[in-house]
Amino acid sequence: MAATPIQLDEHGRLRHFLTIENLPRELLVEILDHAERFTVVGDRAVKKVPLLRGRTVVNLFFEPSTRTRTTFELAAKRLSADVMNLNIEASATRKGESLSDTLRTLEAMDTDMFVVRHQDSGAPEFIARQVAPGVSVINAGDGRHAHPTQAMLDVFTIRRHKPAFEDLRVAIVGDITHSRVARSEIHALKILGVPDIRVVGPKTLLPTAIESLGVGVFHDLDEGIAGVDVVIMLRLQQERMQSALLPSGHEYFHTYGLTPARLKRAARDAIVMHPGPINRGVEIDSAVADGHQSVILQQVTHGIAVRMAVMSMVLGSHAQAA
Amino acid sequence: MKIRIRGGRVIDPANGVDAETDVYIDGERIVALGRKPPRFTAARDIDAGGRIVCPGFVDLAAHLREPGYEHKATIASELGAAAAGGFTTVCCTPDTAPVVDTPAVVELIHQRARGVRGARVRCIGALTHGLGGEVLAEMQALKNIGCVAVSNVGRPIRDTNVLRNALAYASTLGLTVLLEAEDPWLGARGVMHEGATSTRIGLAGIPAAAETIGLARDLVLLGETGARAHFRTLSCAQAVSYLRDARKRGLHVSADVGIAHLHLVDEDIANHDAHYHVRPPLRSTRDRDALRRALARRQLDALTAHHQPHDADAKAGPFGASAPGISGFDTFLPLALELVEAGAIELAALVDACAVAPARILDLPAGTLGLGAVADVCVFDPAACWTASPATLLSQGHNTPFMGRELRGRVTHTIVGGRLVHALDD
């Protein structure tokens, strides 16, 4: 099945972080608790802890990213690691170098950890199966498959506002088909015991048999967010209009855009989230994005703490094994 | 050379034979079954006790990769692997570089196959020039040089008008057209079966409708043009029922299924393993079971290896970025016998699907152990156990999801035109 046994070592500790699917609940809680301790680091005058001193982290980005790459970089630096950023999208692979060759070259530089973003689903796991025993891989987003650190920072943000997962209602709105964030969020919320998870969108943006992941399916935004405690809005990519999945951004906003009026349908104290970067006036109204229910910027801040937690846990498991 | 195959269970569906008996070969032909012909002294005596003796298998469309892709496989390597897998005739696809759209390329392939200790090769010519889907290939010339069929393999023709004309022209020449049912738009972005698994692991799906719509389109044009066609590797349940309906309407069509599609399903694509990447994609369990039933009921005519050898690099990457295809010759027989073991098909029907039906589909003088027939024979031990490993696979392509699997059933001898080209005990 889809279990990814390679992400855990023989003691059940995190060795790679590739997908949320099939991870034990305790491990997710451990990441969240860990991240909680790291949040205070950002408030100090000297924002550093020496946990990864002398370790080398390579951000291997085959697809452009600003936010995710920057927060990974910051997280690694706050852990005192040496960080190298490699944007491969324009260089090596275009010259015909294979993924394995790129990897071997980088490994020869004594890297301890690869943070990988790739346009193909499964690429980080492919890399994880190739690296030397002491090297870890963290998935920073692969194709439509998974974005596990984003999902963890989202549930971290949710927990800070709504700690009782077992009573929660969460709606994820927008392009589920192409979203690795949505897939990882669904797994994380399920594992943490959220009983009511909904996906909301037109049929063109909801993948076949999505209900098999244990979510409720809604095509009407008002119905989908009725009474929910958390609304997660997804970014709508411009290219969806070119592939005939939607007529226009204008019509999308009219049908699925989150406005203050529509948000009233959710629970009174509902929070609004977005993995960013946001398209104002396409999936979300500025009044909502900047409003008092929005926790979008907190998500970014939490992203650093969560990534610090994951990185230290992953490299810690090696330290103990060695 | 005179060969006697002694004491095996002879299964020859074309002649209604299923009995323990001896087979006598003289020169390139079968000269007797059962009783020894007068003055026959075997130069080679094959003890087939406990083994099955049947007509050699015929593969309708294998990718041999030569000319042009010798880093993946060569004619010599694959014809050898085919013989070791029980195949005596292999029809090779025209998607080489250059494409098989001129007599010169056919001659080159024939020349390369000459002297190879392995299966016999027959060429499938291109349906359109360069497989471009725009200009018709010189099919008469291809037929004259010995092509047994024409096909636009791997690149289904988008333009319906071109396809209609291509079918009509092939029909004029009496050439069978090998078709792959796939709607070019629905299938364009996908890499695996669209369903709960593609949703879960985040790979773009190919809906079953891509196959049924492609099939429906092609069947309409076959009805109009009267062309004789064979559908290669159908993958979904619905396609089987479309095919059945078309035959009821009197259409002259046949179809095959690839061995992997009878064993694997989309749920097996664990961890995005590129070795499961094949086109048409591995579909649902329901589809697989329907394909098995259709083969047993002989609604699907032939079973093929769907042999597509690749170099290691072609599979060294994420699923979606890898080249589709499974190297099929080596594991074909044991996987087919597993179907018999599972009660999915009778052994005689299996031999029919692997040898008799494919020969009939392309009018090849094969698939029979009848008196005077060309001696294309396969002898196999149904109980022999072995493991698929880089050391045991003879195909140059080691791209198979069955690597490491314990297999039961192995070809011990293969005779092509009276010549012993494979003998395991030697």
Side-chain angles (χ1 to χ4, degrees), chain B residues 235-261:
Chain B
S235 70
C236 63
Q238 190 85 52
V240 175
S241 75
Y242 279 36
L243 191 73
R244 210 166 41 220
D245 292 347
R247 279 171 166 157
K248 275 189 200 142
R249 293 198 308 271
L251 237 54
H252 194 98
V253 285
S254 54
D256 68 60
V257 61
I259 187 73
H261 289 84

Side-chain angles (χ1 to χ4, degrees), chain A residues 169 171 196 198 221-229 262 265-267:
Chain A
R169 276 164 292 191
D196 186 353
R198 310 165 180 192
L221 180 62
D222 290 338
E223 280 177 35
I225 63 171
V228 301
D229 307 292
R262 293 190 123 145
R265 296 225 155 219

Side-chain angles (χ1 to χ4, degrees), chain A residues 2-3 21 121 125 129 183 208, chain B residues 194 199-202 271 316-317 321:
Chain A
E21 196 179 3
S121 299
E125 173 160 358
R129 289 186 185 281
R183 282 178 177 79
T208 314
Chain B
E194 182 180 281
T199 290
R200 191 168 55 77
I201 68 176
N271 308 326

Side-chain angles (χ1 to χ4, degrees), chain B residues 112-196:
Chain B
R112 290 284 158 85
R114 212 166 289 144
V116 169
R117 204 173 132 98
R120 169 188 301 113
V121 71
R122 304 301 300 268
C123 288
I124 298 167
L127 185 59
T128 60
H129 179 72
L131 298 178
E134 289 172 358
V135 178
L136 300 190
E138 292 184 348
M139 293 181 230
Q140 180 70 66
L142 292 170
K143 187 185 178 190
N144 290 347
I145 198 81
C147 285
V148 292
V150 282
S151 176
N152 227 63
V153 67
R155 296 163 70 177
I157 295 175
R158 288 170 168 256
D159 186 322
T160 319
N161 190 44
V162 171
L163 178 61
R164 184 167 179 255
N165 290 336
L167 291 172
Y169 189 75
S171 166
T172 311
L173 307 179
L175 271 168
T176 298
V177 183
L178 235 69
L179 295 168
E180 291 164 314
E182 183 180 306
D183 177 81
W185 289 278
L186 283 176
R189 295 184 175 201
V191 291
M192 73 171 286
H193 174 60
E194 182 180 281

Side-chain angles (χ1 to χ4, degrees), chain B residues 85-105:
Chain B
F87 292 91
T88 50
T89 300
V90 169
C91 302
C92 65
T93 56
D95 55 339
T96 45
V99 163
V100 185
D101 58 2
T102 59
V105 184

Side-chain angles (χ1 to χ4, degrees), chain A residues 12 14 24 39 61 70 99 128 135 148 176 178 180 186 205 244 255 302:
Chain A
L14 214 50
T39 50
F61 277 60
T70 318
L99 190 51
V135 180
I176 310 290
H178 301 90
R180 51 196 173 212
I186 291 168
L205 299 181
T255 331
H302 295 158

Side-chain angles (χ1 to χ4, degrees), chain A residues 20 57 98 130 144 177 201 228 230 280:
Chain A
I20 304 272
V57 174
S98 77
Q130 304 234 327
R144 307 175 177 185
T177 296
V228 301
V230 179
R280 291 166 187 268

